[in-house]
Amino acid sequence: MQRKDVFVSEEELKRQKEFVQQVRGLYAEKGKTPKALVETYGCQQNENDSERIKGMLSEMGFAFTDSREDADFILFNTCAVREGAEMRVLGNVGALKHLKARRPDLIVGICGCMMQQEHMVKKLKSKYKHVSVIFGTHSLYQFPEILYKAVCKNERVISLIDSEGRIAEDIPVYRENTASAWVSIMYGCNNFCSYCIVPYVRGRERSREPEKILEEIKSLAQNGVKEITLLGQNVNSYGKDLDRNVDFADLLLLADKVSGIRRIRFMTSHPKDMTDKLIETLPKVKKLCDQIHLPFQAGSDRILEKMNRRYTKEGYIHLVERIRTAMPNAVFTTDIIVGFPGESKEDFNETIDVLKRVRFDSVFSFIYSKREGTPAAKMPNQVPEDLKHKHFDELLDVQNKISREINETYDGKTVEIMVEGLSKTNETMMCGRTSGGKIVNFPKDDALSAGDFVHVKITKISTWSLTGERV
Ligand code: 5AD
Ligand code: SF4
């Protein structure tokens, strides 16, 4: 595909803007401010997509609510990475049947990764008749047209684009968080890890033009945002599809120059694409946070090969050492899958060995979930559920001990944090994060707001967070 064809055309985007106005008009005629509830599942990419959907809804005149009873439009932005997330969505959508029966005007919609799977759309069409809006990730930019048809004609609208996915620029973004923002730098994934559905539902890798990304970051900075997280399924391959001479290391240096931004994070990185150039660049990016999220997925070379990860256990550990040399204070986090087909006790022990040798600050561990359409789903020796759970619990025990030990080293130290807001669990406390991404709680101060930087002396630690007093 030629680069220019990767973009949704300006005419198409203009056409969608007209639908935005038409939906606005429809509700204005009814003399009411419609309310929307967007429920998001899955990764930050999905969160960012929801922010774009809410941006469009806001332009269409919608206000937002957390209450299903209050909402005129309820949309589920779904995740297909694991079966558990899919089941939760289906349960929640199913539970709306009664509400829809009571309030026929209510529009229920489902979008996102689950809707890029044919079998799932089929299921929704036949069994979830109260759902009237269905669209996949590739159709996101058509949302105004889809909603217009659903509201105006009160008919079921299904939009599924069977292509590799394109880039739609300049869609408005509605961000609730005033201090931190996600910035998607690329979409899709080319890696085809054998367990993963993402390349099938999100399409091939496509990078945004660097100018567009920088424009967005500058505008965020002007609006008071202090921290950005550059997002992509594999940010390390940013720029490979551009006919320009710019890669992820270059992009980091460009983002570093935007005044007003004080912290830069990125996720996710694939170990196989961490180039020497990128490692050498990391310490030169002045605003880069001391945090590296580097999924290793499994410790056994045999399993890594079956996963199609294209690195070895020792290669991964060596990579961590090289990054640590470049960034001595880096906090490492990772993703791990337990119970990939054929994973034996010996294989699993290799995963535990990586945990003990690298000593991650925290890990995101997942029980392997069979995904229809991926190569791993057809592999022999699927691991029984009880064994997967047993290994999963064992892994958590090992990691919780390490996380706690690492957190104990913070006792008595003073850290700089960016304030995020009130603590969610204790109304007398506020919380923020260190450069390494650790959550720090401290006594509430009404003079502080999100995006302020303060120093806190740590006085209490737990496995998941730190607590202290301002100094
Ligand atoms: N089963 C379990 N975990 C998975 N992940 C991706 N696909 C699967 C699957 N089929 C995990 C990986 C990835 C994270 C986002 O989700 O660890 O890094
Ligand atoms: Fe999935 Fe692998 Fe791509 Fe990550 S890199 S999204 S795990 S295929």
Side-chain angles (χ1 to χ4, degrees):
M1 187 170 14
Q2 284 199 331
R3 179 68 190 164
K4 69 173 173 43
D5 299 328
V6 170
F7 295 96
V8 175
S9 70
E10 286 194 11
E11 297 85 78
E12 177 59 25
L13 291 172
K14 219 172 119 206
R15 211 170 76 80
Q16 293 302 326
K17 288 250 176 225
E18 283 160 18
F19 283 112
V20 166
Q21 292 315 321
Q22 298 204 37
V23 176
R24 232 191 144 87
L26 284 178
Y27 281 105
E29 267 170 33
K30 293 183 186 176
K32 70 182 274 193
T33 300
K35 287 192 192 142
L37 168 57
V38 180
E39 229 176 87
T40 310
Y41 296 75
C43 65
Q44 285 83 358
Q45 195 81 65
N46 255 18
E47 295 280 354
N48 191 225
D49 280 352
S50 287
E51 288 176 340
R52 295 198 294 159
I53 289 167
K54 285 173 108 174
M56 292 186 262
L57 281 168
S58 179
E59 285 202 333
M60 290 188 252
F62 277 80
F64 299 107
T65 174
D66 290 330
S67 147
R68 291 181 181 183
E69 290 286 337
D70 265 1
D72 301 283
F73 175 50
I74 303 179
L75 181 67
F76 294 85
N77 187 6
T78 63
C79 169
V81 168
R82 282 170 292 274
E83 195 183 5
E86 289 193 341
M87 299 311 285
R88 255 190 310 134
V89 169
L90 292 179
N92 287 337
V93 173
L96 287 182
K97 229 178 217 165
H98 302 296
L99 193 61
K100 172 78 182 175
R102 253 196 296 126
R103 292 177 40 211
D105 276 356
L106 171 70
I107 299 172
V108 180
I110 310 195
C111 66
C113 292
M114 265 169 88
M115 296 305 105
Q116 289 290 140
Q117 306 176 98
E118 226 172 275
H119 71 275
M120 203 41 97
V121 173
K122 240 187 193 163
K123 184 170 183 166
L124 273 153
K125 272 201 226 167
S126 63
K127 297 208 175 116
Y128 295 75
K129 297 246 158 55
H130 60 296
V131 174
S132 49
V133 166
I134 297 177
F135 60 101
T137 50
H138 296 348
S139 325
L140 187 135
Y141 69 90
Q142 294 181 337
F143 173 56
E145 179 176 0
I146 296 167
L147 191 60
Y148 174 76
K149 287 181 179 159
V151 178
C152 181
K153 305 193 177 139
N154 205 5
E155 64 187 30
R156 196 172 221 198
V157 191
I158 301 176
S159 170
L160 301 160
I161 299 180
D162 186 20
S163 77
E164 309 247 296
R166 291 187 285 163
I167 297 177
E169 287 291 358
D170 302 323
I171 289 184
V173 188
Y174 177 93
R175 290 180 163 98
E176 249 150 50
N177 195 330
T178 50
S180 309
W182 287 305
V183 178
S184 295
I185 62 166
M186 60 192 298
Y187 305 98
C189 180
N190 288 356
N191 289 314
F192 290 95
C193 300
S194 64
Y195 49 80
C196 185
I197 197 77
V198 169
Y200 305 90
V201 295
R202 287 233 170 227
R204 295 293 66 72
E205 279 173 7
R206 47 214 189 273
S207 305
R208 292 176 69 196
E209 297 290 323
E211 292 77 13
K212 284 287 181 189
I213 298 171
L214 288 169
E215 222 174 79
E216 182 173 355
I217 300 174
K218 281 178 194 157
S219 133
L220 289 168
Q222 275 158 15
N223 286 307
V225 167
K226 297 284 186 303
E227 175 184 78
I228 52 163
T229 304
L230 305 179
L231 282 186
Q233 306 297 343
N234 177 15
V235 291
N236 297 0
S237 58
Y238 172 78
K240 281 186 186 167
D241 58 319
L242 292 174
D243 40 20
R244 320 263 307 252
N245 202 8
V246 54
D247 62 13
F248 185 56
D250 301 325
L251 185 70
L252 278 175
L253 290 169
L254 289 169
D256 202 33
K257 291 202 193 108
V258 179
S259 57
I261 299 296
R262 291 188 52 180
R263 284 180 165 187
I264 300 174
R265 302 183 192 274
F266 59 86
M267 70 188 304
T268 295
S269 291
H270 194 305
K272 77 173 168 54
D273 295 315
M274 268 269 176
T275 60
D276 291 344
K277 176 182 169 187
L278 180 56
I279 297 174
E280 281 161 27
T281 304
L282 296 175
K284 297 181 192 150
V285 185
K286 291 194 268 324
K287 297 169 184 168
L288 189 67
C289 288
D290 284 323
Q291 182 190 18
I292 300 286
H293 183 66
L294 194 64
F296 81 88
Q297 312 295 2
S300 150
D301 287 346
R302 206 174 64 83
I303 297 295
L304 283 171
E305 193 172 340
K306 283 198 193 179
M307 285 179 161
N308 191 28
R309 290 292 289 177
R310 287 170 275 174
Y311 53 82
T312 60
K313 174 187 173 192
E314 292 305 324
Y316 178 88
I317 292 174
H318 183 54
L319 176 62
V320 171
E321 283 162 3
R322 282 162 56 218
I323 300 172
R324 276 198 169 134
T325 307
M327 295 174 72
N329 297 322
V331 161
F332 276 83
T333 57
T334 196
D335 289 351
I336 300 171
I337 296 177
V338 176
F340 183 83
E343 188 178 66
S344 66
K345 178 74 187 156
E346 288 71 39
D347 294 319
F348 173 69
N349 285 343
E350 300 279 351
T351 297
I352 296 289
D353 190 48
V354 177
L355 288 188
K356 290 182 176 165
R357 284 169 66 189
V358 172
R359 293 180 66 80
F360 298 95
D361 279 62
S362 62
V363 307
F364 299 88
S365 46
F366 307 103
I367 289 177
Y368 169 73
S369 167
K370 201 167 165 179
R371 303 288 61 212
E372 199 172 303
T374 63
K378 292 193 217 78
M379 287 184 188
N381 304 321
Q382 299 280 330
V383 179
E385 283 304 314
D386 55 344
L387 189 59
K388 285 197 263 191
H389 282 89
K390 185 172 164 277
H391 284 168
F392 183 77
D393 292 345
E394 202 177 304
L395 184 142
L396 282 191
D397 283 347
V398 172
Q399 182 54 40
N400 287 349
K401 190 163 166 277
I402 295 172
S403 296
R404 189 166 181 108
E405 283 167 4
I406 294 178
N407 279 358
E408 268 159 12
T409 65
Y410 283 80
D411 203 8
K413 280 193 186 149
T414 297
V415 291
E416 185 187 45
I417 62 163
M418 190 184 93
V419 176
E420 292 195 342
L422 290 179
S423 154
K424 287 183 187 77
T425 49
N426 181 339
E427 57 188 30
T428 66
M429 304 290 275
M430 290 184 101
C431 68
R433 271 177 208 270
T434 64
S435 168
K438 284 197 180 287
I439 297 173
V440 177
N441 300 301
F442 61 98
K444 183 171 140 187
D445 176 347
D446 289 333
L448 289 177
S449 51
D452 288 341
F453 283 77
V454 294
H455 286 87
V456 175
K457 186 173 177 187
I458 305 302
T459 52
K460 200 172 141 220
I461 65 116
S462 79
T463 310
W464 313 114
S465 64
L466 307 169
T467 303
E469 308 274 339
R470 276 181 66 197
V471 287

